[in-house]
Each structure stands twice: as structure tokens, then as C-alpha cells.
Amino acid sequence: MPVPAAVPAAVSAAATTSAATAATSAATAPPPAFAARAASVEGSPVREILALTERPGIISLAGGLPAPELFDTEGLRAAYDAAFAVSARRALQYSTTEGAPELREAVAARATGRGLPTGPDDVLITSGSQQALTLITATLIEPGDVVLVENPTYLAALQCFRLAGARVVAVPCDAEGILPDALADVVVRERPKLLYTVPTFQNPTGRTLPAARRAAVARTAARLGLWLVEDDPYGELRYEGSDVPWLAAHPGAEDRTALLGSFSKVMAPGLRLGWLRAPAALRRAAVVAKQAADLHTSTVDQLAAAHYLAAVDLDAHIATVRTAYRARRDALQSALSRSLPADCAWSLPAGGMFLWARLPAGHDAADLLRTAVAHGVAFVPGAPFYATAPDPRTLRLNFTTHTPAEITEGVGRLRAALAEYGGLGGVGGVSAGGRP
């Protein structure tokens, strides 16, 4: 019987590896699919545009970024030094979910000073007000529940509600915001869980809901059984006129309003500090949700913020910021009046960070953006902010990040982009003082 020829070692090893790979492949199944909600909710176009505008030379009127040169860097550095000097061990240790007592006391005192009696136990400190919204959503919303929103509304709120599986329904609005009678009709028809609103210097439109309408919304919520989520990141950035009481301060809203606040616009967004004021039962449920999310907000950041509020006159700092932002808002308004076509319209908000504009008929802001970026300027197209029936002609312009001179240059670039895009007739559009 012939002796088989020897198999070279390399060939033998390769055959063994190939067989093992085949066996492994045959035994391997792909991992399960993502949750349907993760696949159905798109990323934020604002975040994507911000990434696009990182390249040098772009004047971005897109993001909602505070002016970094207005940060009180010396005061905040001293506050962090104080947090470590008083008790470095505490600053670096785990903390309670509800938040540092001294920061909760400071938040409560500021809310009380703005006309809403609040105690420290009414407050939950959160990792930005966006987390407060996420916690309220996790606490209240089941898949299929109806959530009411303004139209258009804050884009990240739409993402949050849709990720929770909610059915988002728009409430009819006009230049001043929610129409109370229409709200009542929608509540009766849709039986929603909650109404989400940014009633003061709304993102993206800049409009403010008048006090009489706020009172009517509170009465509707009490009469028909509705949670109210009042988001107020911009309320302290008023440039003219008188403050309007929070929705939460109106009769009928006391036992059903979650008020969300933030230090991002008046102190610094990098702190990632926000707060939630809510009725006791809702707040306790939100605490449990936060325990599951991140245990607690950063201890050292909370203590630094508390030291800052104790040592610095925050209202005086806010007054400085208001003065700068008012000049920037006015610069944007003036530049638009000189540069945009006569059949454009835009809002002139009394505060906040954004101006809302509408292009002439037949224009699409998303198409214009591509041309604008090529000219060195960026904005956010308005369509993604709509829960339903988006208006492709709309766009949001931020005026807080850049100086008046830079804003003027940016609008000049926008004019050049419009000319190339084909939408530049006579100039001198309409400032509507509200929603365009």
C-alpha cells in the first residue's frame, strides 16, 4: 500500500484555520436589531450643521451658543477653587440624587424672587435642563401616548418625545403662541398626557405667550386634566418690556406643572447644570428616573455653582449679557432690513437668542443652506422644528454668538448666497415683531 505524501505544515494550518472559520461563521448569528424607536428618530440637524461649520472662516448663525467672551471665567474659576478649598473630599465624592442642598436653596430663592414661591425640597438638580425633560418624559409617557407641542417647537423636545414612542400633535398657534380655545379643542379630541411649551422667547420663533393666554392654558389644563411642561431656558434674557409670570404661577397650574430651568444661558453651558421644579409626586418619580440614568449630577460642578451664586451678583452679570445680546439682536435686525428681499419676513423677539425668518414663496431654506455655507455663513433650516406640516421657507438665525460686526458680515454673505440661489429682488423685508 503506498504511503501518503506529507502535507506541508503551512497548507495544513491554512486548511485548519479555514475549517474553523467556516464552523464559527455557521454558528454565529447577527445581534438583534436596534429598538424601532432608535431607528425611527433622526439625529439633530442643528448638531450636524454645527459640525459642518467648524471649518475656519464660517460665520455660524445656526447654533444656540452663548457668547464665550461673556463667560465670567474669573468668577467661575474662583468658585471651583472655593469648592475644593472648603471640602475637596466632598467635591469629589458621590452625592444625593436630588442635588447639593446649597444649590437647591439658591435655585429656590431665585425662583421665589421671580414670583413663584419655591422651597429647596421642590427642586431637583439635573444635568442640564435637557435631562429634566428626559426625566419627565420617562416618568409620564408610555408608547402611544399623545404629547401636545407648539408648532414649530424645540427640536430636541421632538426627539425626546418620539424616542419615548409618543404621538406628537401640534397645537394651533399664532404670532403670540398657543391659541387657548384651539388647545381646549385638541385636548378634548386627542386626550393627551401633557402639553410641552417654551412660552418665553420660544425656540425657534422667539415669541412670548401673553399672561392672559398663560392663565387660559392653566385653566384648560385644570379643567380637562393635563400635565404642563414649561421649559424656560431663556426667560432671564429679556431686552425690553416687562417680565411675564411663569405658566406655573397661574391658578390651576400648581399641581400639574413641571418647570424646567437652566444655568447654561446665564452662567455657562459647559457646567451642564439645570433644574426641575415639580409637584411632589412627580418630582419623586423623576428622582427615581434620574437614579437609573446617572445617579446624580456632578458634585463638583454643583458645589462650584453654589459658591458662585453665593459670591457673585448673578443678576448684575446677566444685565451685562443682556446689554451685549440686545446690541447683537439689533445688529441682525438692521442687517436683514438692508439685505434681504422685500418679500421676506422675520420676527423681532423681545429677548432670547433667536430670530425666525421666512423666505419668499418658492424658496427652500435647506437648499439655500448649501449655497450659504459655500459663501461662509450658516443658519438652521426651519422644517425640522415642525411637528407637522413643515414650512420649507423658514429658517432660524442666532444672534448671541457673534459680535455686531460679524453678524453684519454674516448677513452680507447670506445676501450673496441668496443672489446666487436666485432669490434676491428688492431689499427691505418685513420685521413682524412675532412669528413671520
Side-chain angles (χ1 to χ4, degrees):
M1 182 180 217
V3 178
V7 178
V11 174
S12 177
T16 302
T17 300
S18 178
T21 301
T24 301
S25 299
T28 298
F34 292 159
R37 61 181 178 273
S40 63
V41 178
E42 296 181 355
S44 168
V46 178
R47 300 290 117 191
E48 294 167 4
I49 290 169
L50 287 177
L52 177 69
T53 58
E54 285 296 311
R55 66 187 227 203
I58 292 281
I59 296 177
S60 176
L61 307 176
L65 305 182
E69 70 273 16
L70 297 178
F71 296 154
D72 182 9
T73 53
E74 292 303 317
L76 287 168
R77 182 183 293 114
Y80 275 91
D81 288 344
F84 278 94
V86 171
S87 179
R89 292 183 178 183
R90 182 187 174 204
L92 297 173
Q93 187 56 276
Y94 286 115
S95 185
T96 60
T97 302
E98 291 82 355
E102 52 266 64
L103 183 55
R104 295 165 70 199
E105 290 171 6
V107 169
R110 290 189 65 80
T112 300
R114 292 179 65 187
L116 184 62
T118 303
D121 289 343
D122 298 324
V123 174
L124 168 64
I125 302 299
T126 59
S127 300
S129 61
Q130 182 67 36
Q131 186 189 52
L133 179 60
T134 301
L135 297 177
I136 290 297
T137 302
T139 299
L140 293 179
I141 300 303
E142 302 278 5
D145 282 345
V146 174
V147 170
L148 302 184
V149 299
E150 298 151 314
N151 204 34
T153 191
Y154 175 44
L155 177 58
L158 291 176
Q159 290 179 303
C160 182
F161 298 138
R162 287 168 176 161
L163 197 59
R167 185 165 66 87
V168 180
V169 175
V171 177
C173 299
D174 64 9
E176 294 186 323
I178 292 171
L179 296 166
D181 290 343
L183 170 64
D185 292 341
V186 174
V187 172
V188 169
R189 183 178 71 247
E190 300 288 351
R191 306 309 306 167
K193 260 294 182 58
L194 64 84
L195 165 68
Y196 170 79
T197 175
V198 187
T200 306
F201 313 135
Q202 196 236 18
N203 181 359
T205 66
R207 64 194 175 200
T208 294
L209 191 68
R213 292 198 190 184
R214 297 182 189 217
V217 168
R219 289 194 299 269
T220 296
R223 179 169 58 90
L224 298 178
L226 182 68
W227 286 104
L228 300 174
V229 179
E230 179 177 11
D231 200 352
D232 185 41
Y234 313 107
E236 294 182 288
L237 298 179
R238 175 174 286 280
Y239 314 130
E240 57 202 30
S242 302
D243 289 336
V244 184
W246 275 312
L247 180 60
H250 288 276
E254 306 95 328
D255 66 341
R256 63 193 64 239
T257 303
L259 175 62
L260 318 182
S262 173
F263 288 110
S264 293
K265 309 303 185 292
V266 298
M267 210 183 283
L271 296 173
R272 302 313 305 135
L273 288 174
W275 51 268
L276 164 66
R277 180 195 186 275
L282 179 58
R283 189 180 62 257
R284 285 194 296 268
V287 168
V288 173
K290 182 170 173 60
Q291 288 169 351
D294 66 354
L295 299 181
H296 65 84
T297 296
S298 164
T299 309
V300 64
D301 293 328
Q302 290 189 68
L303 295 181
H307 281 289
Y308 184 85
L309 292 170
V312 173
D313 184 347
L314 180 59
D315 291 328
H317 173 68
I318 293 173
T320 299
V321 171
R322 285 173 175 162
T323 298
Y325 287 176
R326 181 187 301 113
R328 297 175 187 209
R329 179 204 62 176
D330 293 347
L332 179 57
Q333 149 73 7
S334 178
L336 292 174
S337 296
R338 296 191 306 269
S339 301
L340 288 198
D343 46 357
C344 285
W346 57 87
S347 63
L348 183 61
M353 302 177 74
F354 304 110
L355 188 150
W356 186 244
R358 177 178 288 127
L359 298 171
H363 288 60
D364 188 312
D367 290 341
L368 174 62
L369 177 62
R370 288 187 280 271
T371 305
V373 170
H375 282 267
V377 65
F379 56 82
V380 181
F385 294 95
Y386 287 85
T388 57
D391 183 348
R393 296 182 294 156
T394 55
L395 60 146
R396 192 191 74 178
L397 298 167
N398 167 265
F399 54 80
T400 60
T401 308
H402 293 284
T403 65
E406 290 168 336
I407 289 170
T408 300
E409 171 64 22
V411 174
R413 297 178 185 184
L414 181 60
R415 172 186 167 89
L418 266 169
E420 180 177 325
Y421 178 75
L424 192 60
V427 297
V430 178
S431 172
R435 182 179 174 185

